[in-house]
Amino acid sequence: MKKLMKKECSRSGGRPEPVASDLARTGDVLGPMATLGLERKIDQAVASGGGQSGLDSVAVVVRLSNQAPRFCGFVEAEMKEKVCQWLSARSLPLVLGVLAAALLLPALFGGLQLDDHFQRFRLLGLDDRGALSLFVFYNGDPEVMRGQMEAGYVPWWANLEMRHANFRYLSVLTMQLDYLLWPDNFVLMHAHSLAWLAALVVVATSLYRRVFALGGLGALGVPCAGLASLLYAVDDAHSLPAAYLANRNALIATTFGLAAVLAFARLRGDGWRPGLWLTPLLLALSLSAGEIGASTCAYLFGYVLFLDSGSIRSRLVALSPSATVAALWLAIHRLGGYGSEGSGFYVDPLGAPLDHAFLLIDRALALTIGQWTPVPSDWLSLLPLGTSGATGMRLAGLLLVTGLGLLFARLSRARSQCGFFAVGAVLSLAPVAAASPQDRLLFFVGFGSMGMIGALAVNVATEDASRVARASLGVLLIVHTVLAVPMAYVFLDLQNRAARQMERAAESVSSSSDPAGKRVLLVNPPDSVYSVTSIPMMRMNEGRAAPRSVRALAHGGSRMTVRTVDERTLRVVLERGLFPDAFSRYYRDPGLAFLIGDRVELSDLIMEIEELCDNGDPKIVRVTIPDGLWHADNMWFVHNGQTYEAWTPPSVGVEVTIEPVPSIFS
């Protein structure tokens, strides 16, 4: 278009008139999104008689740029203009906040799900540890762990020194508020979570606008910030925390974290004095809501690295209050005994940095796939290390990261913004990689990723972008808009199915007779948390007496052969070992291996390891019930893939095979 304009200028003997030159420059900046509006302005200028020769030439060029058919071009330009206006509206933050919550209104009717039942147990005061320790699951005290093992809250293979304690007191206070105001109204509890989601989107949109207003992006900065905000508002990764009361902490931590970055940006950009104390305060609130709040520091660092225009000294001084807050949080975290230790599912980045580094690459790759593609990272976490599936996931992740790096490294505009978002997103992977990959942990990662897409949109709209860039933007927009909403509903449905299956399984134990005061023996539970611990806690939540003890013999994910040796003893052979999947290792670190001859003795159960698999996991376990297998207090159950059903140990010398059952998340 520029070449044609120059040629037309030479024919008319000089430069176009000033009006024509300004309009042409505007059209060059806005590109196809404003072609129709530009033509209208030219027509008006020609009609008024100003700059006749140059304007006539420019009008011809602009009209030729509207490709046939004319009607399609008209509709396309009109739609683009309206979309830009909508994305630039002052009310967009509030509109997107309401939209995000409205899209997930089905979450209101999800009831309690999974860990929500365990937390209700404490919030109702049924646990002597109190509600403030809601996220302190295991504190590493062997005596306490032994007592929980005797009661059946943890399985016999658990590491007695296991520690899984989270510092999330601010989130606990919001849940205590729920139980103070509406303890039995789960709809209002979920509405409370949706309110936090709406607040998060409002803050995120405001921060996007702040960032894209920097760097001289001109008229496109606002709508591209709006585009990033829209993508973040409908991100499917937000669905589970909105429906899962136990995961509200991620919403709260991210809201305060992004608010801290926004306050810091205003402080550094406008000299906004309240930012001096609001930034560290909001960071403290984010960290007290959940460990994911540590990602706030990644974006503060990214801001001073890419967007701050001050001297190096002034940037470091500006960060010092936030750095002090982060250091105090780290000290409290360590001295207070928070973190994870002895679990095969969670790793403490601070307490076990080498273990975390070993898992970081694979988990970060899985999380990256979950963020940028329709494939959930949750599914990838089920792939055992060393298998062809895990190798394929690693290769796919590396290819994706390489492709993204090449795509965004070639941006010529919004490079500073893209650098800020990229550093924040990449560094945010480290704290969430402490757990097995799950999309519900991607709040901070998603904020940076959607910002990068916004930066890509700036380049595609303002220059002759490559076909690869245009195609990539199109694919990313489809993935994060067209596919995001239905995927969010898929996640809600899967979570709801898992929750209902857990509840049905727990209730099925009571279907034949009342287990109160009895010994419940579960031969093959799908997992040792939601399919075991839920039984006594859910009964007590409902005011019913709990069983005397609950015993899980092994994980149901492995085909097992059970042979009755004598009237007190079973011999259980596990085809895939005691730990057939990643989640089965929650209670025991692989580094704490069993040895042949190891015995675990409880008051009514003795487990002895007779043989190990090639990977060192127990394969053959000898089960002894001192009172006898057929004692009147025993209630035996096997899981049939949906619920528990009554079971009787085979006669002495008889062997039975029990097929593996899927996880409740399958």
Side-chain angles (χ1 to χ4, degrees):
M1 182 173 177
K2 288 182 179 179
K3 291 180 180 179
L4 289 172
M5 287 180 59
K6 290 179 180 178
K7 195 175 294 184
E8 188 63 33
C9 291
S10 65
R11 290 177 184 171
S12 62
R15 292 168 51 87
E17 295 293 330
V19 175
S21 176
D22 292 342
L23 290 174
R25 189 179 302 111
T26 304
D28 182 49
V29 172
L30 297 182
M33 289 191 293
T35 302
L36 183 65
L38 174 60
E39 184 179 344
R40 287 173 177 168
K41 292 181 181 179
I42 292 173
D43 288 339
Q44 294 170 2
V46 172
S48 65
Q52 199 60 236
S53 61
L55 283 170
D56 287 342
S57 302
V58 174
V60 170
V61 172
V62 174
R63 289 191 179 104
L64 288 175
S65 68
N66 288 327
Q67 300 178 359
R70 175 75 172 179
F71 179 74
C72 293
F74 173 85
V75 173
E76 179 184 3
E78 188 75 18
M79 289 179 62
K80 287 179 179 177
E81 186 176 354
K82 289 186 176 180
V83 168
C84 285
Q85 291 175 354
W86 185 77
L87 292 175
S88 303
R90 293 187 62 181
S91 60
L92 186 68
L94 182 60
V95 170
L96 290 182
V98 173
L99 174 65
L103 287 174
L104 295 177
L105 283 178
L108 291 175
F109 311 103
L112 297 181
Q113 300 189 356
L114 305 174
D115 289 62
D116 296 343
H117 290 281
F118 306 153
Q119 295 188 344
R120 181 173 176 80
F121 182 69
R122 293 196 189 182
L123 288 164
L124 290 176
L126 301 176
D127 190 309
D128 56 9
R129 287 174 290 181
L132 275 181
S133 61
L134 198 62
F135 289 96
V136 179
F137 304 103
Y138 307 105
N139 62 5
D141 187 331
E143 292 187 6
V144 173
M145 196 68 157
R146 179 76 183 192
Q148 292 184 313
M149 189 179 291
E150 279 287 353
Y153 295 143
V154 298
W156 62 267
W157 58 80
N159 177 4
L160 292 179
E161 297 181 354
M162 174 183 164
R163 178 165 51 88
H164 182 194
N166 298 319
F167 185 83
R168 299 175 182 173
Y169 288 128
L170 180 59
S171 298
V172 172
L173 291 177
T174 70
M175 302 179 81
Q176 287 183 306
L177 180 63
D178 284 339
Y179 277 79
L180 177 65
L181 299 178
W182 39 70
D184 299 313
N185 193 324
F186 306 134
V187 171
L188 291 180
M189 292 183 187
H190 287 296
H192 185 175
S193 293
L194 289 179
W196 279 106
L197 174 62
L200 167 60
V201 172
V202 170
V203 172
T205 303
S206 302
L207 182 53
Y208 279 129
R209 286 189 162 180
R210 183 78 194 183
V211 171
F212 277 98
L214 303 174
L217 296 182
L220 271 179
V222 177
C224 287
L227 175 63
S229 304
L230 173 63
L231 299 180
Y232 192 67
V234 301
D235 192 351
D236 54 73
H238 301 167
S239 59
L240 289 191
Y244 193 14
L245 299 175
N247 200 195
R248 182 191 293 167
N249 60 88
L251 294 167
I252 301 173
T254 312
T255 300
F256 284 119
L258 295 185
V261 181
L262 179 60
F264 185 77
R266 293 190 61 187
L267 168 66
R268 299 299 294 164
D270 301 336
W272 189 56
R273 302 295 294 176
L276 283 172
W277 57 270
L278 267 180
T279 301
L281 174 61
L282 291 168
L283 173 60
L285 292 174
S286 177
L287 292 170
S288 64
E291 290 76 7
I292 194 175
S295 296
T296 306
C297 300
Y299 286 96
L300 292 173
F301 174 70
Y303 190 92
V304 300
L305 188 63
F306 287 97
L307 300 177
D308 201 328
S309 59
S311 64
I312 295 179
R313 181 178 180 278
S314 68
R315 299 184 195 189
L316 294 177
V317 170
L319 276 180
S320 57
S322 298
T324 302
V325 170
L328 288 174
W329 174 78
L330 286 173
I332 294 173
H333 206 265
R334 299 309 301 164
L335 296 177
Y338 297 98
S340 300
E341 184 179 1
S343 170
F345 196 72
Y346 292 96
V347 180
D348 188 350
L350 302 176
L354 293 180
D355 292 341
H356 181 257
F358 177 76
L359 295 171
L360 178 60
I361 295 178
D362 279 339
R363 289 183 172 182
L365 289 176
L367 289 166
T368 302
I369 292 174
Q371 176 60 61
W372 289 91
T373 76
V375 180
S377 62
D378 310 58
W379 298 354
L380 300 173
S381 67
L382 301 177
L383 300 173
L385 292 176
T387 63
S388 58
T391 302
M393 182 277 294
R394 188 180 297 114
L395 178 60
L398 289 172
L399 290 174
L400 176 62
V401 170
T402 301
L404 292 173
L406 293 174
L407 175 65
F408 288 101
R410 302 177 70 177
L411 300 186
S412 60
R413 301 203 61 181
R415 291 180 64 87
S416 296
Q417 285 86 347
C418 189
F420 162 73
F421 289 123
V423 166
V426 171
L427 294 182
S428 294
L429 288 169
V432 296
S436 185
Q438 301 166 74
D439 279 10
R440 64 188 179 91
L441 304 175
L442 290 172
F443 278 87
F444 279 99
V445 178
F447 176 78
S449 301
M450 302 313 176
M452 293 170 68
I453 296 176
L456 177 62
V458 171
N459 286 263
V460 168
T462 57
E463 64 179 49
D464 295 329
S466 66
R467 291 183 178 179
V468 173
R470 293 181 183 277
S472 298
L473 178 60
V475 171
L476 289 171
L477 291 180
I478 291 173
V479 169
H480 294 289
T481 54
V482 177
L483 298 181
V485 175
M487 284 300 295
Y489 295 141
V490 168
F491 291 151
L492 287 178
D493 181 63
L494 290 175
Q495 176 89 345
N496 187 63
R497 287 172 182 266
R500 302 295 83 82
Q501 183 172 330
M502 183 191 88
E503 294 166 1
R504 287 194 300 269
E507 186 58 33
S508 64
V509 170
S510 307
S511 60
S512 57
S513 61
D514 190 354
K518 300 291 185 69
R519 180 191 300 126
V520 173
L521 296 144
L522 310 174
V523 180
N524 64 332
D527 66 83
S528 53
V529 180
Y530 302 113
S531 301
V532 179
T533 310
S534 60
I535 296 173
M537 288 189 177
M538 287 181 62
R539 286 184 60 87
M540 295 176 70
N541 287 347
E542 297 166 1
R544 296 186 290 174
R548 186 177 72 196
S549 64
V550 179
R551 304 284 179 237
L553 300 192
H555 285 111
S558 180
R559 176 181 286 106
M560 61 178 65
T561 301
V562 181
R563 180 182 180 85
T564 302
V565 178
D566 56 46
E567 61 185 17
R568 297 191 309 152
T569 309
L570 297 175
R571 188 171 185 266
V572 180
V573 180
L574 304 167
E575 185 178 272
R576 296 175 56 196
L578 184 59
F579 307 111
D581 54 53
F583 190 49
S584 64
R585 295 189 179 277
Y586 170 67
Y587 283 109
R588 196 175 188 90
D589 185 343
L592 187 61
F594 280 107
L595 301 176
I596 295 177
D598 281 353
R599 286 167 59 95
V600 176
E601 297 189 21
L602 301 175
S603 59
D604 56 0
L605 177 72
I606 301 173
M607 307 295 291
E608 182 176 355
I609 310 302
E610 292 190 343
E611 186 177 324
L612 303 176
C613 300
D614 293 338
N615 65 357
D617 292 342
K619 182 176 183 178
I620 300 179
V621 182
R622 189 180 185 89
V623 182
T624 301
I625 308 294
D627 292 342
L629 301 178
W630 297 281
H631 190 277
D633 285 344
N634 293 346
M635 294 183 66
W636 289 91
F637 295 93
V638 293
H639 202 280
N640 60 17
Q642 294 293 326
T643 61
Y644 287 109
E645 56 186 34
W647 183 79
T648 302
S651 303
V652 175
V654 176
E655 180 178 282
V656 296
T657 299
I658 300 175
E659 296 298 321
V661 295
S663 163
I664 64 172
F665 300 105
S666 297

